Amino acid sequence: MAMAGESSNNNYGDCDGKSHRKVGLVYDETMCKHDTPNGEDHPECPDRIRVIWEKLQLAGVSQRCVVLGGSKAEDKHLQLVHTKDHVSLVKSLSTKKKDYRRNRIASQWNSIYLNGSSSEAAFLAAGSVVELAEKVAEGELDCGYAIVRPPGHHAEPDEAMGFCLFNNVAVAASYLLDERPELGVKKILVVDWDVHHGNGTQKMFWKDPRVLFFSVHRHEHGGFYPAGDDGDYNMVGEGPGEGFNINVPWEQGRCGDADYLAAWDHILIPVAKEFNPDIVLLSAGFDAAIGDPLGGCRVTPYGYSVMLKKLMEFAQGKIVLALEGGYNLDSIAKSSLACVQVLLEDKPIQGSSEAYPFESTWRVIQAVRKKLSAYWPSLADVLSSNLIDQKTPTPIIVFSSSDSETEDYADDILDQMSRLNIENHHVDTASTSWRRDLSKVDVWYASFGSNMWKPRFLCYIQGGQVEGMKKVCVGSMDKTPPKQIMWESFPHRLFFGRESSVTWGVGGVAFINPLSDLNDRTHMCLYRITLEQFNDVLFQENGLKVDSDSPLFDLDTLQLVEKKGSTPLASGGWYGDIVCLGKEGDIPILTMTCTLSAFEKFKSGEIPLRPPSEAYVNTMVRGLVEGGRLSEEEAKAYIDNAASKPL
Ligand code: Q9C
Ligand code: ZN
């Protein structure tokens, strides 16, 4: 096959002494030239593959892989799954034609744009997946990831659609089966975890038992793109292919790690064991990722890494990932990195916070198992009620990591989390009614400790855990990120106290004197969130097992604190005092610290002052530096000063 674009680089392997797998990566800048004809914005944009590539380089992982430039697909290989007419039509889109001609063709397809480079990119995307799959099947590489665009899985035999021109993965699968019998690939598992149904791939192997097609996608009873019944779980294939097509159609958005892993554990993995593929091809769209603007789901990089790891148990780890969708640049870069680290067999990354699947997820999984059990005996057992009862009809708030938890309920945390279904808003009880009122009021939450680092603070909103933390946060019920962020300094004394905390281990955590002193300055990062979210932050900060029938800090207390400057809460936790630092616009600026009486005990030595752990310092420094507040040296000196001065 002809090479295109960048030259290939065959450095790989053992530079760190750890990686023994030969991992192939395809990246070719030429595929960035496919773009909208008039420069309009579009989610399927050239930067998608650029940011992934840059992330892999910056993380130092691409350097440990075998890097391949793109490779153009041959017509006869494309024609294994596409009609001759479709292949010629895409070929004819090339530069010599005028834009209006291409626009006319694009408008006859569903969700397609075209420019003078679309044809070249489409041939490269398909050819690159073919080449990578070939090298993995031959054993020249162990596995790989083709960072390609345009994506492929919506493309049907005679039709481009859904941003896809050629069905890259389907072409590669057919190539191995039909053109390279000597490689011994007789059975291929195609897994499609793109948030959309892989309608094109399904169609191409509908009657083919050599390809087991598994697609998990947001479906909403046919309302989600590509709308209709094709993605339904009743679509199991036909003729000799009957039973070799498996759809897992989510009934709702917001599905996350727990939902996807349940589909893996209770459908895909048992079936894959029975099928015993010779190679696995993965339609790796990252639009089910948390933060994706089209998908509305919440799979984390950790979730993707676990799903991939589980697939690497098959076919001696021969697996080829091909990028499909994924439209949040940050999410797709992080998710891609997590996947390549799994391919390289690096140490697993940190876990996520989500504990339980939705009720609808269990319903879907049970329906799929029932339908497919006719073909796959491993699906025949009825799932135990212990398992499927693991979802909660009513929301319960639990607290996990914080700078301050009282440490005596740590054993309960996993148990509580596992009963948690913070997404379920269907039942409106006393425990949720206060939320409605407080969700309408905005406050500035002013943070001066680890929460100054935005990713760490987001753990309290969206759930999760960042570097240095020993515990996972459950997040707030309303996971909307802060509406605004700004920095300010306030005349309060910063100090560090307590022996240790569950989140950060041995070392002090940050407090301020609840009373102001004009000789002191404390840097704070202000997050504009709702009063409801502020309560959820407070719950988590104070590690209280609270029944959420009532908020810790309600509208009356807000009025009080605006008048008096500070007020203790009934929480009894370490951050049991709310201080009002003033207003910004009309919105009150609130922070939480120890009570005045606790402060007196710190001062007298009854409670120890302690410098913070290295992890805690690093988190604060990252906040101050990334927030543009201080340089790294200044930030370190600032913390050091606060940690060493007596009160
Ligand atoms: N109402 C991939 O992720 N959305 N394609 C069109 C029209 C198209 C997604 C919405 C989404 C296509 C590869
Ligand atoms: Zn998609």
Side-chain angles (χ1 to χ4, degrees):
M1 266 170 210
M3 297 291 289
E6 294 184 349
S7 65
S8 96
N9 160 3
N10 283 317
N11 296 326
Y12 55 82
D14 271 328
C15 22
D16 65 347
K18 276 180 285 188
S19 180
H20 301 288
R21 282 172 64 82
K22 277 196 204 173
V23 179
L25 287 180
V26 179
Y27 181 73
D28 192 324
E29 182 74 21
T30 315
M31 283 181 266
C32 296
K33 286 168 34 193
H34 166 57
D35 203 349
T36 53
N38 298 310
E40 317 93 288
D41 286 343
H42 192 282
E44 206 289 276
C45 64
D47 276 345
R48 294 176 62 239
I49 57 175
R50 272 195 203 109
V51 296
I52 293 173
W53 184 240
E54 278 162 17
K55 184 74 155 194
L56 298 181
Q57 286 187 299
L58 221 58
V61 305
S62 57
Q63 296 84 341
R64 297 160 54 205
C65 298
V66 181
V67 178
L68 308 170
S71 187
K72 279 205 164 127
E74 293 176 30
D75 291 12
K76 65 169 185 217
H77 298 157
L78 295 166
Q79 285 170 22
L80 295 169
V81 296
H82 290 291
T83 62
K84 216 171 168 165
D85 283 355
H86 182 65
V87 175
S88 334
L89 182 53
V90 173
K91 182 168 267 185
S92 76
L93 300 169
S94 54
T95 43
K96 55 182 183 284
K97 294 257 174 80
K98 296 272 189 280
D99 261 351
Y100 73 83
R101 280 274 301 138
R102 279 189 298 268
N103 289 346
R104 176 115 120 227
I105 295 167
S107 71
Q108 283 163 13
W109 284 326
N110 169 340
S111 304
I112 290 288
Y113 64 75
L114 298 167
N115 73 356
S117 298
S118 299
S119 177
E120 188 181 14
F123 276 80
L124 280 173
S128 300
V129 179
V130 168
E131 193 189 25
L132 186 60
E134 176 183 50
K135 286 190 157 45
V136 171
E138 285 169 346
E140 186 181 327
L141 296 169
D142 291 306
C143 57
Y145 177 22
I147 307 159
V148 295
R149 66 183 287 275
H153 72 153
H154 294 307
E156 299 206 336
D158 199 19
E159 198 173 348
M161 71 179 272
F163 320 154
C164 303
L165 297 178
F166 292 136
N167 195 320
N168 310 319
V169 164
V171 174
S174 295
Y175 171 79
L176 295 180
L177 292 169
D178 297 338
E179 298 286 305
R180 302 299 304 276
E182 76 278 13
L183 296 179
V185 175
K186 297 197 170 78
K187 290 178 288 177
I188 302 182
L189 170 62
V190 175
V191 174
D192 187 333
W193 73 30
D194 185 282
V195 77
H196 304 97
H197 179 231
N199 56 287
T201 317
Q202 167 168 304
K203 210 160 259 185
M204 286 159 178
F205 302 111
W206 186 243
K207 296 183 179 172
D208 193 339
R210 301 171 304 171
V211 175
L212 172 56
F213 180 58
F214 173 94
S215 179
V216 53
H217 43 269
R218 196 168 160 190
H219 187 57
E220 285 168 17
H221 307 283
F224 199 71
Y225 190 89
D229 293 337
D230 281 4
D232 193 271
Y233 62 80
N234 287 312
M235 305 296 276
V236 297
E238 228 178 276
E242 191 177 330
F244 292 88
N245 194 85
I246 304 181
N247 287 322
V248 179
W250 298 138
E251 290 176 8
Q252 58 175 269
R254 290 182 285 149
C255 290
D257 296 354
D259 305 283
Y260 278 80
L261 290 172
W264 252 234
D265 290 345
H266 303 293
I267 301 171
L268 176 56
I269 300 304
V271 171
K273 277 187 188 150
E274 285 190 57
F275 181 64
N276 189 25
D278 300 314
I279 192 170
V280 180
L281 304 184
L282 178 56
S283 268
F286 292 106
D287 42 12
I290 186 157
D292 190 275
L294 270 59
C297 288
R298 35 185 64 242
V299 177
T300 69
Y302 167 75
Y304 284 116
S305 75
V306 177
M307 291 196 284
L308 178 55
K309 186 90 202 158
K310 291 184 185 231
L311 292 175
M312 284 174 59
E313 300 300 314
F314 302 99
Q316 303 95 251
K318 288 189 177 122
I319 185 164
V320 174
L321 281 67
L323 180 65
E324 299 280 1
Y327 308 102
N328 177 314
L329 299 183
D330 197 45
S331 306
I332 63 177
K334 286 179 177 153
S335 304
S336 294
L337 174 59
C339 286
V340 176
Q341 286 170 327
V342 170
L343 295 180
L344 284 163
E345 293 190 320
D346 285 356
K347 176 163 134 287
I349 63 166
Q350 294 270 15
S352 78
S353 65
E354 247 193 316
Y356 275 172
F358 288 114
E359 193 168 4
S360 69
T361 293
W362 287 126
R363 185 163 53 244
V364 170
I365 288 176
Q366 285 176 295
V368 174
R369 284 174 62 97
K370 192 163 173 214
K371 179 79 193 174
L372 271 301
S373 61
Y375 317 99
W376 306 99
S378 60
L379 302 183
D381 293 343
V382 172
L383 294 179
S384 80
S385 54
N386 284 348
L387 185 66
I388 61 177
D389 282 350
Q390 294 187 1
K391 37 93 191 163
T392 320
T394 39
I396 301 168
I397 289 208
V398 289
F399 333 84
S400 65
S401 55
S402 70
D403 294 358
S404 59
E405 53 207 354
T406 33
E407 269 132 87
D408 50 30
Y409 63 92
D411 300 62
D412 277 337
I413 292 265
L414 274 178
D415 182 51
Q416 292 177 27
M417 276 184 57
S418 60
R419 254 182 282 112
L420 185 75
N421 183 347
I422 47 185
E423 308 291 352
N424 194 328
H425 293 288
H426 302 300
V427 187
D428 199 38
T429 64
S431 67
T432 58
S433 63
W434 65 265
R435 295 182 168 274
R436 213 181 352 233
D437 300 333
L438 299 198
S439 70
K440 295 185 181 112
V441 179
D442 277 0
V443 298
W444 290 100
Y445 159 57
S447 59
F448 49 79
S450 65
N451 285 327
M452 287 190 293
W453 190 40
K454 186 180 171 196
R456 188 268 173 271
F457 174 63
L458 286 180
C459 296
Y460 276 158
I461 301 293
Q462 299 182 325
Q465 181 179 23
V466 291
E467 197 181 324
M469 288 165 70
K470 299 188 189 298
K471 279 284 190 166
V472 175
C473 296
V474 296
S476 303
M477 284 220 202
D478 174 0
K479 294 187 158 39
T480 313
K483 299 186 185 95
Q484 261 178 291
I485 301 178
M486 59 179 194
W487 287 80
E488 239 173 89
S489 297
F490 295 94
H492 284 260
R493 168 65 203 276
L494 175 70
F495 68 96
F496 297 90
R498 295 178 59 212
E499 302 274 13
S500 72
S501 65
V502 173
T503 307
W504 302 99
V506 174
V509 290
F511 294 96
I512 56 165
N513 182 345
L515 299 178
S516 64
D517 182 335
L518 291 171
N519 298 317
D520 285 308
R521 268 350 258 174
T522 292
H523 296 287
M524 300 198 201
C525 180
L526 280 58
Y527 299 99
R528 188 172 157 189
I529 57 177
T530 69
L531 194 51
E532 182 204 357
Q533 291 176 313
F534 184 73
N535 270 280
D536 285 345
V537 172
L538 260 179
F539 288 149
Q540 294 177 75
E541 274 287 335
N542 284 293
L544 296 175
K545 188 168 187 172
V546 191
D547 169 51
S548 56
D549 275 0
S550 57
L552 269 175
F553 185 82
D554 61 13
L555 287 166
D556 290 340
T557 330
L558 175 61
Q559 247 186 9
L560 190 76
V561 84
E562 283 187 66
K563 216 166 79 193
K564 303 214 339 188
S566 83
T567 183
L569 298 170
S571 70
W574 281 98
Y575 289 84
D577 201 79
I578 303 301
V579 178
C580 181
L581 298 163
K583 281 194 166 193
E584 174 66 37
D586 260 356
I587 302 172
I589 305 169
L590 306 175
T591 192
M592 50 192 84
T593 184
C594 61
T595 59
L596 200 51
S597 71
F599 178 73
E600 293 304 332
K601 290 179 184 163
F602 278 120
K603 208 168 165 174
S604 71
E606 198 179 322
I607 314 174
L609 291 176
R610 284 275 180 270
S613 70
E614 199 182 305
Y616 194 88
V617 173
N618 288 342
T619 310
M620 284 182 68
V621 169
R622 282 172 103 157
L624 288 160
V625 173
E626 287 173 29
R629 201 59 180 166
L630 299 177
S631 72
E632 193 172 329
E633 300 80 77
E634 287 168 337
K636 285 182 175 153
Y638 163 75
I639 296 166
D640 202 51
N641 177 50
S644 52
K645 260 192 324 193
L647 282 177

